[in-house]
């Protein structure tokens, strides 16, 4: 599920859902995306104002590919946590 060219998908974990109650939303974004570009994209898509953003580049994990000792790495990816203005929210996590 690719939301846009910059924002790949929302991160839906227990920690991310709990943080969304305080106005912080977590997304997987393109590796070349900047904070400002992601905040502008959220404004365009969801009509919300981002106040602050924290970016983390998550390193790839080592994965064994056979029963012998052959390994490879998954690609690294970028995660961003965006804080919204007080009173704004994005309806990402439907509790249906």
């Amino acid at each position: 599920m690719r939301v846009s060219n910059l924002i790949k998908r929302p991160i839906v974990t227990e920690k991310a859902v709990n943080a969304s109650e305080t106005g912080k939303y977590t997304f997987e974004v393109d590796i070349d995306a900047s904070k400002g570009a992601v905040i502008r994209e959220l404004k365009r898509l969801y009509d919300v104002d981002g106040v602050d953003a924290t970016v983390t580049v998550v390193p790839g994990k080592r994965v064994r590919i056979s029963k012998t000792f052959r390994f490879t790495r998954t690609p690294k990816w970028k995660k961003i946590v965006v804080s919204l203005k007080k009173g704004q929210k994005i309806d990402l996590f439907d509790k249906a």
Side-chain angles (χ1 to χ4, degrees), residues 11-75:
I11 304 294
V12 183
T13 60
E14 185 176 357
K15 185 176 181 179
V17 172
N18 289 338
S20 69
E21 295 171 1
T22 62
K24 294 185 178 192
Y25 293 87
T26 308
F27 297 94
E28 179 183 346
V29 296
D30 188 50
I31 196 73
D32 297 325
S34 65
K35 289 181 185 182
V38 172
I39 289 174
R40 284 191 300 272
E41 190 72 12
L42 286 174
K43 173 76 173 170
R44 185 181 71 80
L45 290 172
Y46 300 110
D47 197 33
V48 293
D49 298 318
V51 176
D52 190 24
T54 305
V55 175
T56 306
V57 176
V58 181
K61 294 184 179 181
R62 190 174 157 192
V63 180
R64 191 166 79 183
I65 58 174
S66 69
K67 290 185 179 181
T68 61
F69 292 99
R70 292 181 39 203
F71 295 93
T72 187
R73 285 206 170 268
T74 59

